[in-house]
Each structure stands twice: as structure tokens, then as C-alpha cells.
Amino acid sequence: MKKQILMGMNGDEASAYSAKQVNPDVVAAYPITPQTIIVERFSEYVADGEVDTEFVAVESEHSALSSCIGAAAAGARAFTATAANGLALMWEMTYIASSLRLPIVMAIANRALSGPINIHNDHSDSMGARDCGWIQIYCENSQEVYDAGIAAWRIGEHPNVQLPVMVCLDGFTLSHTMENVLTLPDDVVKDFVGERRFIRVEGHMGETELRLNPDAPLTMGPLDLQDYYFEHKMQQIEAMEQALKAIPEVDAEYAKISGRSYGFLHPYRMEDAEVAVLGLGSTMGTVRYVVDELRSEGVKAGLIKMRVFRPFPAEELVKTVGDVPVLGVLDKAASFGAPGGPLYEEVKSVFYDEAEKPFIADFIHGLGGRDTSPSMIRGIYENLTEIREKGEVPEKVSFVGVREQEGR
Amino acid sequence: MSESKPTWRELPKGAVSTKSSTEYETGDWGVEKPEIDHSKCTKCMLCHFYCPEGAIKVREDGYTEVDLRYCKGCGICAEECPVECITMVRKK
């Protein structure tokens, strides 16, 4: 394994740097806090001649993703970044990208959806896009942003997958916070991502690669009537199921070149845990700190950090949770009018069919960048311990960190 | 459209078209068809330009001809003809 270079980078810089090393054919760029640094830094690489990328400064996020779609359809590797309302603006195009089976990679610097306007971190943006058919990877720190920024290309381009990938990093918390990142040498990254792989399809002029090519004409993005749309959606459902197999393959290869092993779920001190918390992103770093504190006090606390949310790793979740009696789910997004936050709903529905299931409680927190402190997380573990002792979940969904009582 | 349709596993990925649109004969969609009276026609070619399907071809002699394999019977040609030489006639 070649020597890695330690660099000080914030999450945005890590995203831009990983993209630089991949050297995509096209980057369509539109700024939005807190991802602007990604596209700005990339534009510097372009200006300095460090990449061969065609940099397209577009007029909106909808155009950014549309340009990536056009480029990817023509066979290019395309990258862009967005957040919050930028993702919302390109919402229709996210479905186009996945249905056309284009392995675009997009960084999402998770930021609260307006309104009111809030530029700070929560997961409402990417959670709002959970149905669009993109693979979603959530990062805990800049190292993970860098690593996912490279692995994402191989995951999306896997012949059995062929889906676009969102690499999610918490806005400001990760995007603007400098951390140590071990980076691979350029040639190692180039070797790992290789050339973009195409699948072959039977077009109207015979079998050919799935890309627009005047020498082998294809129609991409046609009309479907009631007699074909459903079948095409089944293919996307299957692609996500295939991703459940493909992601560990890519991760194993990446572990060989980096020494860092990634999975769908990252359990911590779960072997004998009596109380556990599951969540996505940077908050899990704070939870880990609290778990260690609780453990030193004799509390058998554990955590599961979920790295891949789409496809949802249901089987592995059940295995990883094991026989822990109570599980708290951290949701950094609300789903208005729903029985709970998005992650909680999915976890609970997975466990419905299991003979052995923990008590599950939802903790919605951090909306609009509201800080979730170690003491708040402690409070969550205390709440969970009470649930275990009482043998029931009195409050299925609670809200952590919001001002509910006077004087708080 | 009467042959059995492929299952989702059989279809090409990415919903690429398996047939060229020239093979998708939409002529049977139409309830009416245009009849062009060449005795009144001035060879202005407007019907050819207006046809949304491109189903009206211009012949060598300058008169136009409807390709009933694709004509959907929308009647735009009849509507636009400046000398009203096109009549929409109910198909049998």
C-alpha cells in the first residue's frame, strides 16, 4: 500500500480534492452555501490546469444537474455539488438521472430546507430526496467525505448498479471544519476509478453501450405509456438491490488501497450493549464521545453509525442491532404529518417483521443547525434506559434541543 | 401492440427505445383522415410544415401526400390550409 499524504482539509475541500484526483470530464457548477467551496476550489484546479475537466458555470442548480445528465448521457464522468434549496430546485432532474441510469456523483452539503431561510445543517434536503433513486452515503468527518468522494464513482458505475450517488456531508459542521485527512496519491486514485464502465443495451439499432454516440445511435429518455413505465421502475428497484451487493465489493477494494474499511453500518461498542443509538452523519461522532463517557460510568452504551441510507441496509441493520433491548433513532429531519422522522420510520418498518425487536424511539434533533450537545445525547441515553426499565415507549417521537418549556 | 410485451427483466436498462419511431405506426390512433383535393391545392406546402407528425410528404410534382401509417387525424392540416382544400373524413 502506497504512502498516503496527510492534509488539513475541511469537508468541502476534501470533496473537491477527491473530485480533482478523479478528474471528471465535466463539472457543472452553481454555488450555494455551504457547498460553494467545493465548486470554487474545483474552479481553481481548472484555472491552474490541474484537471482536464470541462467546467460549466450554469445559471441554476436545475441546470447544473441537467448539464451533468447531458454530459453523462454522452459518456462523460460528471460531478456537481449542491445543498438544501439547490437540491430542491433540481428535484425533477434527480429522478431523470436515476431513471436514465447515469452514474453521476453529487456532493450534498446537508443544509436545512427553507423556509424560513436557514443555511445551517440538518438532513431535510437529502431526506426529502430519499425516493429519487440515488444512492446516498452519509459522512461523519472529512476523511469519510474524501474516501466516499472516490468510492462513489466505482459504486455508481458498477455494472449491476449504474445509478447516481449522493455523498452527504453536514453543512458547516463538516463542510467548513478543518480536519486531518489522509489522501491517496494521484496515481492510486486514478488506478482505482479507472475508466468509466458502460453497460450494453439492446437499442433500436442493435446492441450497444448505454451512451449517446452518433456512430451507434440510441434514444435516451423516451416516453413511456401505461404499459411500460412500471417495468422500467422495477429495473431501478432491482438496481438498488444490486447495490446492496456491489457496495461491499467496492468497499473491500478501497480498503486494500487505503487501509480504511467501510460498510453500510459502523457499530461501536455494540457487542454487549444494553442501550444503543442509531444515526447518520457527524452527530454520531458526538454520540461516540458520550458512549465512551457512559461506558466509563458502567453504562453498557453502544452506537450504530449508518453510512449508507440508500439502499437501506435492512438485513444488516437487524443483524447489527442484534439483541440490544432498546434503540434510539436520531433523525436530523422531520417529516411533517408522518408517524416520525424518516430514519425512524424505515428502521421501525424493518423491525416490524422481526420476532425479536428492540423498543424503538425517535429523537428528532438538530433542525436548522441547532446544536446537539453531549449532554443532550446523554439525556437520550437516559431516556432509552428508562424505556428499557419500564418496558414501554411512552413517547415514540421526541424532540431534542427545542425550546418547549419556559425558561429553557 | 397485440404481441405479448416483454417483462421488466427483458427490457433494456435505462428505458432506451427498442424500436425506432418509424416502426411505431401511430396511424391506427386516428379516427379521421385528411383528404387533399389536388384540383384546389396551390402547392403552398403549409400542410407539410404544420403536420406535427411529419406525416405529410411533399411529392416530386409539388403536391402533398398523407402517410396514413402515421397520421393521427388531428386535423391541423385541414385547419391551416389557406385554400381549404383538405377535408377531414371519418375512417371506416
Side-chain angles (χ1 to χ4, degrees), chain A residues 21-64:
Chain A
Q21 291 187 303
V22 168
N23 195 13
D25 300 291
V26 170
V27 164
Y30 192 83
I32 183 171
T33 305
Q35 68 85 351
T36 306
I37 295 171
I38 300 177
V39 292
E40 277 186 347
R41 178 58 57 88
F42 200 89
S43 76
E44 290 169 26
Y45 296 140
V46 174
D48 293 342
E50 293 185 65
V51 287
D52 304 306
T53 314
E54 185 81 38
F55 189 83
V56 189
V58 291
E59 66 277 14
S60 79
E61 286 91 347
H62 184 280
S63 298

Side-chain angles (χ1 to χ4, degrees), chain B:
Chain B
M1 294 273 272
S2 58
E3 76 275 13
S4 76
K5 293 175 185 166
T7 64
W8 65 266
R9 283 183 215 275
E10 293 169 312
L11 287 167
K13 294 202 172 95
V16 294
S17 300
T18 49
K19 296 201 286 201
S20 162
S21 56
T22 54
E23 291 174 69
Y24 196 159
E25 294 185 357
T26 52
D28 56 2
W29 293 21
V31 167
E32 293 181 329
K33 62 178 178 180
E35 273 180 2
I36 305 174
D37 183 351
H38 288 157
S39 69
K40 289 203 200 131
C41 173
T42 61
K43 301 188 194 176
C44 74
M45 297 196 291
L46 280 177
C47 55
H48 160 77
F49 291 120
Y50 271 105
C51 175
E53 294 305 315
I56 300 185
K57 311 270 194 280
V58 182
R59 293 195 319 216
E60 282 244 356
D61 61 1
Y63 289 106
T64 53
E65 201 167 69
V66 180
D67 191 340
L68 291 174
R69 291 176 301 169
Y70 303 107
C71 170
K72 289 174 180 166
C74 72
I76 286 172
C77 53
E79 180 72 27
E80 294 299 330
C81 176
V83 297
E84 294 179 7
C85 78
I86 304 181
T87 340
M88 295 308 293
V89 160
R90 189 87 181 195
K91 292 204 281 198
K92 299 269 188 322

Side-chain angles (χ1 to χ4, degrees), chain A residues 91-102 131-134 161-164 221-242, chain B residues 6-16:
Chain A
W91 189 74
E92 65 151 345
M93 302 313 291
T94 60
Y95 285 77
I96 303 292
S98 57
S99 61
L100 291 187
R101 311 297 295 275
L102 301 172
D131 289 342
C132 71
W134 284 55
V161 177
Q162 299 284 309
L163 289 175
L223 173 77
D224 254 359
L225 292 175
Q226 303 93 319
D227 53 349
Y228 278 92
Y229 182 87
F230 206 158
E231 281 72 23
H232 288 130
K233 294 299 116 180
M234 288 305 301
Q235 292 180 338
Q236 286 180 249
I237 289 169
E238 193 209 26
M240 279 289 189
E241 283 168 17
Q242 289 296 318
Chain B
T7 64
W8 65 266
R9 283 183 215 275
E10 293 169 312
L11 287 167
K13 294 202 172 95
V16 294

Side-chain angles (χ1 to χ4, degrees), chain A residues 360-372:
Chain A
I360 302 173
D362 191 17
F363 299 92
I364 295 179
H365 71 104
L367 303 188
R370 177 65 50 91
D371 190 36
T372 306

Side-chain angles (χ1 to χ4, degrees), chain A residues 166-274:
Chain A
M166 283 181 201
V167 176
C168 302
L169 57 149
D170 287 334
F172 285 111
T173 313
L174 292 189
S175 67
H176 284 61
T177 308
M178 182 172 294
E179 291 186 275
N180 288 331
V181 178
L182 279 167
T183 61
L184 300 163
D186 286 351
D187 62 319
V188 173
V189 176
K190 242 182 205 66
D191 269 336
F192 177 77
V193 294
E195 292 288 316
R196 181 178 158 189
R197 299 159 83 176
F198 297 93
I199 53 169
R200 296 185 71 84
V201 290
E202 187 71 33
H204 66 283
M205 289 183 69
E207 206 210 47
T208 186
E209 281 185 341
L210 183 59
R211 62 183 177 95
L212 298 171
N213 173 7
D215 298 326
L218 264 188
T219 295
M220 294 175 86
L223 173 77
D224 254 359
L225 292 175
Q226 303 93 319
D227 53 349
Y228 278 92
Y229 182 87
F230 206 158
E231 281 72 23
H232 288 130
K233 294 299 116 180
M234 288 305 301
Q235 292 180 338
Q236 286 180 249
I237 289 169
E238 193 209 26
M240 279 289 189
E241 283 168 17
Q242 289 296 318
L244 283 171
K245 300 196 198 101
I247 292 169
E249 276 177 36
V250 177
D251 286 340
E253 249 196 81
Y254 193 80
K256 286 209 199 93
I257 58 164
S258 66
R260 291 181 287 282
S261 293
Y262 286 103
F264 291 106
L265 300 159
H266 291 245
Y268 181 69
R269 306 185 89 158
M270 285 295 292
E271 304 80 16
D272 62 340
E274 289 176 354

